[in-house]
Amino acid sequence: MKTKLSLLFTVCFCLVSLAQQNNISGTITEQGTGFPIPGVSIIIKNTIKGVVSDFDGNYTINNVPENAILQFSYLGYVTQEIKITNQQTLNVILTEDVSKLDEVVVIGYGGQKKKDITGAVSIVSSETIEELRPVDAAQALQGTSAGVSVTAPSGSPGGQFNITIRGVNSNGDNGPLVIIDGYKGDLNSINPSDIESFSILKDAQAAIYGIEGANGVVLVTTKSGRKNSALKISYNGYTGIQQTTRQLPYLNATEYALLLNESYAANGQDLPYTDVSNLGTGTDWQDELFESAPITNHNISLTGGGEKSTYYFGGSILEQDGIIASDKSNFTRANVKVKLGFDVTDKLKFTTSANYFNNVRKTIGENALGSPLFNALNYAPTYTLDQEDASGFLGNEVINPLSQIANTYNKYNGNSIEGTFQLDYEPLDGLKITSRIGLKSYNDTQKSFAPIVNYGSGKVFNTDRSSVTQTKNTNNSYTWDTFITYNRTFAENHNATITLGTSAQRAWGDNLQGTGFDVPNNSWEFADISLANGLSEAKSTSSYIYDSRLSSFFTRLQYDYKGKYLLSAMVRRDGTSDFSPSNRIDYFSSATAGWIVSDEAFLEDSDVINFLKLRASYGSLGNNVGVDLYRALLSGEATYVLNNGLVTGTANGRIPNPEATWETADKLDIGLDLNLFNNKLQFTADYFVEDRNDLLIANFPVSGILGASAPGAGLPTVNAGTTRTKGVEFFVNYKESFSDNLSVDLSYNVTKVDGEVTSVNNNIVSEGGSFSVGQPAITRMEVGQPIGYFYGLKTDGVFQNQAEVNAAPSQEGLGSAAAPGDLKYVDTNNDGEITIADRTYLGKAQADYIMGLNLRVNYKNLDFGTYMYAELGKEMVRNYERDQPNINRSSLYLNRWTGEGTSNTVPRATIGATTNRLFSDFFVEDASFLRIQNIQLGYTLPDEFLQKIGVSKLRIYGSVNNAFTFTKYNGYDPAAQGVNQNGNLDVFSSGIDYGFYPVSRQFILGINLSI
């Protein structure tokens, strides 16, 4: 009987308990704006049971006991705890917690309250990255951060991006320092979905990084778990189709034949096409090269944490085929990310992160004379798909692009493991000791095969002997930082934080390359050095090693009085092994100050101005370029007489410069931050000036007795130049929640940059950049002009008749007398004749203005976003037209001069000798553009449905990347920029277009799922 009563009592108790549990639903929004907050952690206090709010801030948590406490927490907001009684709907408004927001603003070797930052810092959040879904993390900065320009030399799969901050200041490396969770890294090695935020240091505040900070610093914080947070499993994936954004208008077969006939007739020669009636449109080689190609990305993450631990696990794989020759041009990237945090004790914390990165890539030649795209533009449309130019009619440099692709074989495989180990110890209140080591090891292998092939008579691409080249690279680095941070408040109103630390860096590696000849069966399948047994008279192997070290000490003082008068000062001592022993050490310093005007009594109660801060900074930073210039390299050539015979050996190469040192930058910035109308309108403005000193000028003239003219030798590189860059940048953001269903977020940024060379020792002019073949260099570095400006002949229309020719200065000094229909050049030096001495400024590749416009709209369960990017006031050189008489031409030449009054812009058609192909402003075009780089529409499924299938968020979206580009430029991509052999922006060739591989327009369908 007692047993039955006990059982009955237990059942009744369970029923009562169930009856007292509630299913709670609601929406979490931000105070002031009313915007929904996704990712908020909602847990039942003192349990591990919880959920996370979805994209629209909605949540549902089931079986919550009565009188239990729900805890709502999110980074940057005040945590709320609410006791549950009998409610079923619970909407929560979170307020910003300034102290927590400050933690996410990373400024290098620590963080700072956002309102207390006295330097120019831009922040890009994970929300922006999630909306853009970039292939490369650098793309997330394009148009989203004032003063930041992101360009690519190519739209090919896996192509690298280049970042410049506030213009081009150096004739060497202009790329910023990238720090990922404390170690020196690269943006292309990390999965964009693993990034929590970017902090971009643009002014003298970057002096804390000393010799590496002059080009700005990009600080990357990767995602981590949160304490007392339930397990969240997220999957984000998309698939799509890629197409070219543009095909250039070129002549069809009939138009081409008629133009060629006219050219031959003008020179009194027989017509090459006596009957054009059956030619039709012929072969469109661009149509044959471009294709639709797939792109897919899968990303999964697990995140959460307990009372004393946090965890984040992420994995992703991206597969992208090229829009040209997808079987020969493709890219695969795989990432695995782990980040863990533990409170070992109340005073000791341990954090570790690791990222594994693998990329496999195949490529075709691009942005060069002789690339497949270059050949597609120049190959005759009268030829069939499999027809070679056997007779050499098109010249010795233009070949069938499809045959060229078929005979292209290469493969690249790279693997990297990188990460950090960090200890934080707080022995006393306000005192924190941090020690961390960041490690990176990257190894890659490359193989390329050149088969025996004949493209036609005399072609420079003909190969009569097969070969295979294999390369192996090993690159290692570490960064070990140890620093102490002490903050204290004294005399009530004085707050100070002192940082004192040391840093040690090392980068080392090696390279080994070999070439084997006579590959069996002339086949890629047998392309391996171990099987290629042919011998070569020339050396077929090469190698190198490198070892670079940097030792540093630094200190920083951050002070404020009453939280509204701000001051920061920092000093760093760097010693590097990259220069001679007498030039290895230098000191870099800066000071910043700010005044929070809105905290003054006269603005404290303002209903309009919520926040107003004035700030200024000035300091000196370094740019570590010019490595090993003090060493003499055995890269020269020499012939010696030994044992009565001639022996070929080596000799000194470039003349060394033991006095060479790094560049230095003196930076000034004056700015303000302003929030209005209950923080709905945010405005930031900056004025900046930078003087870059000690620029390294290559091939600097010295005495001939030093041996610079010997074979393989060269003139030294000398610190001999100075530039000045100045400008203004503005950022404005407007957020408004019009109702519970409708909210808008609109932002705009614009930067105006002016730069020029202010001095060069002895007024030496440096030249670079090539146009066509055999012509003088077309870009220059010269006092009073921008770095790398275009230098050539200026035109004044087209000669319409012989009378105009007779009245104009003679052009015979250029190599040929002018005739009606030829370009009319300007006598810029007024000496009465046209020569190469009349070359002048024709434009520049760097934009005067860069800007971004970004819009986000949420309406009920729908969300819409678009991102736009523009560059104005820049030019590019049209260099994808080959200087051969019989190649195809742009449709531009349909508007050529054919008689008096017919054209004053495009010269006549002839195969005779003219000066029309000399570099002039005829080949320089306005490359300003506006690009709508992303349009996205998403729909989040209702909570009622999600509860039934057991998920917290399910969003489906469609997007178009690189949707439209508005420009007057005739080439493929006005945003593309050339690079040097190291993959960095080359200021001397950045605006010269050999036929840039165009960026692809991507039509994407994706899903965001959270459990």
Side-chain angles (χ1 to χ4, degrees):
M1 184 66 180
K2 290 182 179 180
T3 303
K4 293 181 179 179
L5 288 174
S6 298
L7 179 61
L8 180 62
F9 177 79
T10 302
V11 171
C12 292
F13 178 79
C14 292
L15 291 174
V16 171
S17 298
L18 288 172
Q20 292 176 332
Q21 292 192 349
N22 302 299
N23 296 333
I24 310 296
S25 297
T27 301
I28 305 171
T29 56
E30 180 183 56
Q31 186 182 46
T33 66
F35 274 85
I37 307 176
V40 176
S41 175
I42 306 104
I43 66 170
I44 303 173
K45 191 173 182 181
N46 298 323
T47 73
I48 60 172
K49 182 177 180 180
V51 296
V52 177
S53 63
D54 66 14
F55 185 80
D56 295 309
N58 300 319
Y59 75 95
T60 298
I61 183 168
N62 297 323
N63 301 324
V64 180
E66 198 165 320
N67 297 319
I69 295 176
L70 281 186
Q71 188 178 69
F72 298 81
S73 63
Y74 188 70
L75 189 65
Y77 294 83
V78 176
T79 297
Q80 287 198 37
E81 295 184 353
I82 301 175
K83 187 175 182 179
I84 301 302
T85 53
N86 59 354
Q87 62 263 62
Q88 294 181 338
T89 300
L90 181 59
N91 296 323
V92 178
I93 299 174
L94 295 184
T95 58
E96 289 187 352
D97 184 344
V98 175
S99 64
K100 285 191 174 182
L101 275 173
D102 302 332
E103 295 174 9
V104 301
V105 181
V106 181
I107 59 170
Y109 303 105
Q112 192 174 21
K113 293 181 179 181
K114 186 175 182 180
K115 70 182 185 68
D116 292 343
I117 291 177
T118 49
V121 180
S122 292
I123 299 170
V124 178
S125 67
S126 59
E127 286 80 5
T128 299
I129 300 171
E130 289 172 3
E131 290 177 0
L132 287 173
R133 299 291 173 190
V135 172
D136 188 291
Q139 291 174 277
L141 304 180
Q142 190 176 52
T144 60
S145 179
V148 179
S149 174
V150 180
T151 60
S154 168
S156 62
Q160 186 174 345
F161 288 82
N162 288 296
I163 302 172
T164 55
I165 297 175
R166 292 181 167 177
V168 170
N169 304 285
S170 171
N171 60 328
D173 183 14
N174 286 277
L177 173 67
V178 176
I179 302 293
I180 304 171
D181 288 339
Y183 69 91
K184 188 175 177 180
D186 298 292
L187 290 179
N188 62 357
S189 68
I190 55 178
N191 174 21
S193 295
D194 290 333
I195 296 175
E196 181 66 32
S197 67
F198 292 97
S199 293
I200 305 164
L201 311 184
K202 298 182 284 189
D203 66 347
Q205 189 164 244
I208 196 68
Y209 288 101
I211 198 173
E212 298 181 298
N215 294 333
V217 181
V218 177
L219 300 169
V220 181
T221 302
T222 60
K223 291 179 179 177
S224 59
R226 294 198 301 271
K227 290 182 179 179
N228 300 313
S229 178
L231 169 65
K232 177 183 177 182
I233 302 175
S234 298
Y235 167 79
N236 299 292
Y238 63 79
T239 186
I241 293 295
Q242 306 169 99
Q243 299 174 349
T244 182
T245 49
R246 189 174 191 188
Q247 287 188 209
L248 305 190
Y250 258 61
L251 303 181
N252 63 34
T254 301
E255 293 168 336
Y256 163 78
L258 290 172
L259 177 69
L260 222 58
N261 283 347
E262 183 180 324
S263 300
Y264 274 72
N267 202 45
Q269 297 188 25
D270 294 339
L271 304 185
Y273 293 94
T274 56
D275 183 6
V276 299
S277 60
N278 296 319
L279 291 178
T281 58
T283 303
D284 188 327
W285 293 102
Q286 293 183 85
D287 270 351
E288 299 302 325
L289 252 66
F290 289 119
E291 57 184 274
S292 296
I295 181 173
T296 59
N297 183 69
H298 302 282
N299 183 82
I300 189 169
S301 64
L302 293 83
T303 182
E307 290 186 9
K308 295 187 177 182
S309 63
T310 61
Y311 59 86
Y312 176 88
F313 300 95
S316 68
I317 184 166
L318 168 76
E319 296 178 322
Q320 182 183 20
D321 285 353
I323 55 174
I324 300 176
S326 58
D327 59 329
K328 298 291 182 75
S329 172
N330 48 63
F331 175 68
T332 301
R333 183 188 67 211
N335 285 85
V336 177
K337 174 73 175 181
V338 179
K339 193 171 186 179
L340 305 172
F342 301 97
D343 291 352
V344 182
T345 68
D346 290 340
K347 296 184 176 181
L348 181 63
K349 296 178 174 60
F350 172 72
T351 306
T352 184
S353 67
N355 176 59
Y356 170 73
F357 164 60
N358 169 260
N359 72 110
V360 178
R361 191 182 184 200
K362 294 180 180 180
T363 61
I364 60 172
E366 54 184 275
N367 192 33
L369 295 174
S371 69
L373 195 53
F374 175 90
N375 282 317
L377 295 175
N378 289 279
Y379 209 60
T382 54
Y383 286 14
T384 59
L385 296 183
D386 58 354
Q387 184 177 357
E388 307 294 347
D389 182 29
S391 65
F393 178 70
L394 300 176
N396 64 348
E397 299 168 0
V398 178
I399 61 176
N400 186 318
L402 299 182
S403 299
Q404 183 181 19
I405 291 172
N407 289 291
T408 298
Y409 300 92
N410 61 71
K411 187 174 184 180
Y412 174 92
N413 191 319
N415 291 277
S416 172
I417 183 72
E418 55 194 28
T420 60
F421 299 90
Q422 178 170 320
L423 285 172
D424 295 292
Y425 180 56
E426 299 184 34
L428 302 170
D429 288 342
L431 178 63
K432 182 178 180 180
I433 303 171
T434 299
S435 184
R436 67 175 173 232
I437 184 167
L439 305 168
K440 182 172 183 177
S441 179
Y442 185 81
N443 304 288
D444 63 42
T445 58
Q446 305 174 53
K447 181 165 71 172
S448 61
F449 167 58
I452 298 172
V453 63
N454 189 303
Y455 295 107
S457 176
K459 299 294 184 182
V460 296
F461 298 103
N462 290 344
T463 305
D464 56 10
R465 191 181 189 189
S466 63
S467 64
V468 57
T469 299
Q470 292 175 251
T471 306
K472 182 178 181 180
N473 295 290
T474 301
N475 303 279
N476 304 291
S477 65
Y478 70 74
T479 304
W480 189 1
D481 301 321
T482 299
F483 54 97
I484 300 172
T485 304
Y486 181 63
N487 60 75
R488 183 181 177 183
T489 299
F490 54 96
E492 294 187 6
N493 294 321
H494 300 270
N495 305 292
T497 300
I498 299 175
T499 303
L500 180 65
T502 180
S503 177
Q505 297 181 31
R506 184 187 178 197
W508 73 101
D510 57 69
N511 162 278
L512 179 63
Q513 178 175 293
T515 300
F517 297 89
D518 302 333
V519 175
N521 301 319
N522 195 36
S523 170
W524 170 249
E525 285 72 20
F526 294 89
D528 192 274
I529 290 178
S530 63
L531 301 176
N533 297 319
L535 300 178
S536 173
E537 294 182 2
K539 186 178 180 180
S540 59
T541 60
S542 65
S543 65
Y544 64 78
I545 61 172
Y546 68 93
D547 193 338
S548 176
R549 308 184 188 208
L550 177 66
S551 178
S552 310
F553 300 93
F554 55 89
T555 185
R556 176 174 59 203
L557 170 65
Q558 296 162 294
Y559 167 81
D560 73 77
Y561 175 66
K562 291 186 176 181
K564 56 185 177 181
Y565 307 111
L566 315 169
L567 179 66
S568 178
M570 61 199 75
V571 178
R572 179 165 174 139
R573 175 194 183 274
D574 279 326
T576 174
S577 65
D578 294 339
F579 298 91
S580 66
S582 61
N583 286 315
R584 288 184 173 174
I585 296 175
D586 204 354
Y587 292 84
F588 304 92
S589 60
S590 72
T592 66
W595 175 28
I596 301 180
V597 184
S598 54
D599 282 356
E600 299 291 351
F602 58 84
L603 280 179
E604 253 182 349
D605 299 323
S606 173
D607 294 330
V608 176
I609 299 176
N610 307 112
F611 181 76
L612 172 60
K613 177 175 63 180
L614 304 178
R615 50 184 169 77
S617 66
Y618 181 80
S620 175
L621 306 87
N623 186 23
N624 192 17
V625 293
V627 174
D628 286 338
L629 291 176
Y630 72 99
R631 300 179 189 269
L633 304 179
L634 294 175
S635 57
E637 303 174 12
T639 302
Y640 302 91
V641 179
L642 297 175
N643 297 326
N644 297 319
L646 295 178
V647 178
T648 301
T650 59
N652 284 346
R654 179 203 66 233
I655 297 175
N657 177 14
E659 299 304 317
T661 185
W662 47 82
E663 301 172 356
T664 58
D666 297 324
K667 295 193 176 191
L668 169 69
D669 184 277
I670 300 173
L672 69 85
D673 302 308
L674 176 65
N675 291 3
L676 302 171
F677 310 118
N678 200 23
N679 296 310
K680 293 179 180 179
L681 182 64
Q682 300 176 4
F683 179 78
T684 299
D686 283 271
Y687 168 76
F688 57 88
V689 179
E690 175 179 335
D691 290 316
R692 185 66 64 92
N693 307 305
D694 297 322
L695 296 182
L696 289 161
I697 310 297
N699 297 315
F700 199 85
V702 295
S703 172
I705 65 174
L706 296 178
S709 60
L715 294 167
T717 298
V718 177
N719 296 100
T722 303
T723 63
R724 165 165 283 198
T725 303
K726 59 183 179 180
V728 292
E729 63 183 35
F730 299 95
F731 170 82
V732 61
N733 176 252
Y734 175 70
K735 286 183 179 181
E736 180 67 86
S737 181
F738 297 97
S739 67
D740 291 340
N741 293 325
L742 178 63
S743 60
V744 174
D745 186 346
L746 176 66
S747 65
Y748 171 74
N749 67 79
V750 58
T751 304
K752 172 70 167 68
V753 181
D754 292 309
E756 68 172 337
V757 179
T758 53
S759 70
V760 177
N761 291 2
N762 302 325
N763 287 322
I764 298 299
V765 176
S766 297
E767 295 184 326
S770 62
F771 178 81
S772 190
V773 174
Q775 296 202 33
I778 66 168
T779 56
R780 282 189 158 199
M781 176 179 174
E782 184 178 8
V783 173
Q785 300 289 0
I787 297 179
Y789 77 94
F790 302 131
Y791 184 70
L793 296 167
K794 187 176 181 179
T795 62
D796 184 26
V798 173
F799 287 115
Q800 297 299 314
N801 51 52
Q802 189 60 44
E804 287 188 7
V805 175
N806 296 337
S810 171
Q811 297 186 176
E812 291 187 29
L814 297 175
S816 178
D822 286 340
L823 291 173
K824 183 194 303 182
Y825 296 117
V826 177
D827 182 15
T828 59
N829 62 4
N830 297 313
D831 65 353
E833 60 178 347
I834 307 296
T835 66
I836 61 171
D838 289 299
R839 290 179 296 167
T840 187
Y841 174 91
L842 298 181
K844 57 182 176 42
Q846 310 306 321
D848 291 328
Y849 296 89
I850 57 174
M851 60 186 70
L853 177 64
N854 310 311
L855 171 67
R856 287 183 286 177
V857 179
N858 291 316
Y859 178 71
K860 294 185 178 180
N861 288 30
L862 288 171
D863 60 270
F864 170 81
T866 182
Y867 286 75
M868 306 179 195
Y869 177 71
E871 294 185 4
L872 306 178
K874 56 176 281 190
E875 288 79 31
M876 291 185 75
V877 174
R878 193 177 71 250
N879 193 32
Y880 46 79
E881 301 174 7
R882 193 68 196 95
D883 185 15
Q884 296 286 340
N886 298 327
I887 52 90
N888 197 13
R889 303 286 181 188
S890 165
S891 295
L892 172 73
Y893 289 91
L894 292 176
N895 299 316
R896 65 192 177 276
W897 184 92
T898 56
E900 186 169 351
T902 55
S903 175
N904 198 39
T905 55
V906 183
R908 64 188 173 117
T910 180
I911 63 170
T914 74
T915 60
N916 294 332
R917 300 301 298 177
L918 294 178
F919 179 63
S920 69
D921 56 10
F922 175 68
F923 299 98
V924 179
E925 298 184 4
D926 179 7
S928 301
F929 70 91
L930 166 65
R931 173 167 290 164
I932 302 178
Q933 58 186 21
N934 178 267
I935 303 173
Q936 185 172 136
L937 179 65
Y939 178 74
T940 302
L941 276 67
D943 290 338
E944 297 79 7
F945 172 76
L946 298 181
Q947 292 176 24
K948 296 178 182 179
I949 61 176
V951 300
S952 62
K953 171 188 173 182
L954 179 56
R955 175 177 177 265
I956 301 171
Y957 69 91
S959 71
V960 182
N961 296 331
N962 301 312
F964 303 102
T965 301
F966 302 97
T967 182
K968 295 179 180 179
Y969 181 59
N970 283 309
Y972 283 111
D973 186 4
Q977 297 270 276
V979 296
N980 58 26
Q981 60 184 2
N982 297 319
N984 299 319
L985 179 71
D986 186 348
V987 296
F988 287 107
S989 64
S990 59
I992 303 174
D993 186 356
Y994 295 95
F996 285 116
Y997 192 124
V999 295
S1000 61
R1001 180 179 292 116
Q1002 300 170 347
F1003 298 91
I1004 300 293
L1005 181 63
I1007 184 173
N1008 308 131
L1009 173 67
S1010 295
I1011 300 176

